[in-house]
DNA sequence: TTAAAAAATTGATTTAAATCACATTATTTT
DNA sequence: AAAATAATGTGATTTAAATCAATTTTTTAA
């Protein structure tokens, strides 16, 4: 881990795009920049301190770990996304761990500055509400996935979701199969077996560790009916 | 279901407490009031139309139903809580069902009015952010519960959470055991067996359909270590 | 206060998925 | 390109929880 001052960070955060240069400067004055190597722990049990942790570059996974070591991936943060937004408006502490999935650069922005900015810029408040709404939606989808779908359905749903973001029929997984398994609440062994089964059925074609070619979208969709 | 106009509704919503009477009046001008009997369906697949549905009296459960009929309770709304806040700031459609758990009164407030109010009152925006933050926190706790805890742990956690809100050692469940089971992602049979086991261990004492007396908090807590 | 309905419990059995143990394949690193 | 490491795959077995099928208890309504 390495700390430097860096002003560029805020430019990567869509939510702050509409701020004036002055406002950006004010927010960033007290910001701290940290870098993490792939695999490094960013934190265990988030100490919050009501700051906003912005992923400037790289990718971060937020994980809950049960008493017997089972991992549940809560979210994955990509460039421009941030963490700690809960601590801004609720004083509950979050207990989760965060790891750098790639070489990652994070900047920590003062929560007080953010709150000031929100109070002064209703439009920024709306932006934050939009981000929060998206977060709630994603969480609820996850609850649905884990709660009412069986594992084949969860896999099919995840593949179809990823496919939506892809141009062609090729999915490049943005996470390892091990993380994939954890995200949908199963083990890597079960995921592996199910994917092999999907391949047997001619629905998909596995290639390397991260590539999945969708051959029969309908087959996957039928699982969800 | 029955529709009348009613101005009292907004007074039951904590989030609007600090609005002026004029502002309240404006918001409520276009509001619609509906009542539902216990057990009635409030909606299947929420049509949103970007309005806020406020529970004025009673209790509502929001449910997702899988293709094979399995139910997952997503949230339970009590008096003063509301639904549809996602549609205000995201254009995604929610597909869930809602049922009145008791005789319930709901009023539907225009999303446009709310948005105007938020834009004009940064403090209301902050209030909304607080509510959203709480929602995210609750959703994430649910993901954790379903994702990493086994069923005994989920039950123990739910009981301890309920106990926190109770004055003495007596929990009056705010939901049926069937709903309890659905909330934590299991079946009523399994819940029943586990509670019987907890009672055998001397941790709890079941009384009637809704009362649970906690005899040994430590026993329950130990499950979660 | 009794009858009817709803909710919850209990037992027997099945099943989906976890676990354990090891083999194989991909990906980095030297 | 070979060696080392990390990630994934596969088989055998166990296990937790779901399912199916009655009962029993609690609550509500007549």
């Amino acid at each position: 881990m390495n700390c430097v001052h860096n002003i560029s960070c805020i430019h990567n955060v869509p939510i702050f795009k509409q701020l004036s240069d002055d406002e950006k400067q004010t927010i960033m004055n007290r910001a701290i920049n940290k870098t993490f190597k792939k695999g490094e722990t960013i934190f265990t049990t988030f100490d919050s301190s009501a700051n906003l942790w912005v992923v400037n570059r790289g990718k971060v996974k937020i994980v809950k770990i049960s008493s017997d070591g089972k991992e549940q991936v809560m979210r994955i943060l990509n460039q421009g996304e941030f963490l700690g937004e809960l601590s801004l408006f609720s004083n509950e502490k979050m207990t989760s761990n965060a790891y750098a999935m790639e070489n990652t650069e994070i900047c920590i922005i003062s929560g007080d500055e953010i709150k000031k900015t929100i109070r002064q810029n209703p439009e920024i408040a709306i932006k934050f509400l939009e981000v929060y709404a998206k977060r709630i939606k994603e969480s609820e989808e996850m609850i649905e996935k884990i709660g009412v779908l069986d594992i084949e359905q969860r896999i099919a749903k995840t593949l179809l979701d990823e496919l939506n973001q892809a141009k062609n029929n090729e999915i490049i997984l943005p996470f390892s199969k091990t993380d994939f398994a954890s995200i949908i609440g199963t083990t890597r062994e079960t995921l592996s077996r199910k994917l092999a089964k999907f391949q047997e059925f001619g629905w998909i074609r596995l290639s390397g560790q991260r590539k999945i070619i969708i051959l029969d979208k309908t087959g996957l969709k039928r699982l969800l009916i």
Side-chain angles (χ1 to χ4, degrees), chain A:
Chain A
M1 198 193 72
N2 180 29
C3 297
V4 290
H5 282 270
N6 185 332
I7 192 71
S8 80
C9 171
I10 201 169
H11 300 301
N12 286 329
V13 187
I15 209 172
F16 293 127
K17 280 260 166 65
Q18 53 199 295
L19 289 179
S20 73
D21 284 349
D22 264 12
E23 287 166 331
K24 281 181 191 162
Q25 187 62 48
T26 312
I27 286 184
M28 292 312 293
N29 268 345
R30 285 202 274 151
I32 293 170
N33 209 285
K34 292 185 180 187
T35 61
F36 299 88
K37 291 230 175 69
K38 181 177 174 179
E40 255 189 305
T41 299
I42 295 176
F43 58 77
T44 56
T45 50
F46 189 41
D47 64 342
S48 103
S49 36
N51 290 323
L52 211 61
W53 293 49
V54 179
V55 176
N56 194 18
R57 184 172 56 87
K59 194 177 290 206
V60 173
K61 70 170 170 177
I62 317 281
V63 165
K64 292 256 184 185
I65 300 180
S66 71
S67 48
D68 60 337
K70 196 179 165 194
E71 246 194 24
Q72 171 73 45
V73 174
M74 301 297 290
R75 345 168 13 209
I76 288 176
L77 299 181
N78 294 296
Q79 190 183 70
E81 297 187 302
F82 49 80
L83 166 79
E85 67 281 15
L86 290 197
S87 67
L88 293 183
F89 301 106
S90 95
N91 41 18
E92 316 265 359
K93 60 186 184 315
M94 273 287 286
T95 53
S96 45
N97 303 5
Y99 306 97
M101 298 174 77
E102 305 168 359
N103 290 338
T104 291
E105 201 179 314
I106 284 176
C107 64
I108 303 173
I109 302 181
S110 150
D112 289 340
E113 287 301 337
I114 302 279
K115 273 194 265 188
K116 251 188 246 166
T117 309
I118 290 177
R119 270 172 225 272
Q120 288 158 9
N121 297 271
E123 285 311 313
I124 296 293
I126 303 282
K127 281 276 167 214
F128 261 83
L129 281 167
E130 283 168 7
V131 172
Y132 279 39
K134 190 162 160 262
R135 285 281 314 280
I136 295 174
K137 211 191 113 268
E138 284 166 355
S139 297
E140 293 197 340
E141 276 183 356
M142 204 165 197
I143 293 169
E144 186 189 5
K145 219 188 252 184
I146 302 179
V148 308
L149 304 181
D150 69 26
I151 289 187
E152 294 190 3
Q153 290 175 319
R154 292 180 216 174
I155 297 170
K157 191 167 192 308
T158 309
L159 292 180
L160 291 168
D161 284 351
E162 288 296 327
L163 190 61
N164 269 342
Q165 292 162 36
K167 297 182 250 307
N168 43 17
N169 287 340
E170 239 179 69
I171 296 169
I172 308 293
L173 291 177
F175 29 65
S176 69
K177 296 234 174 80
T178 305
D179 281 336
F180 187 168
S182 164
I183 289 168
I184 64 170
T186 186
T187 58
R188 66 202 165 73
E189 292 96 327
T190 297
L191 175 63
S192 181
R193 272 184 262 267
K194 295 297 188 185
L195 287 175
K197 187 179 167 191
F198 285 8
Q199 187 166 236
E200 253 179 61
F201 285 0
W203 297 344
I204 64 172
R205 184 175 202 348
L206 297 162
S207 160
Q209 288 184 176
R210 298 257 179 149
K211 199 195 289 186
I212 299 177
I213 298 137
I214 308 293
L215 301 173
D216 180 5
K217 212 168 148 177
T218 329
L220 294 173
K221 275 189 181 160
R222 241 195 320 269
L223 275 184
L224 295 171
I225 297 169

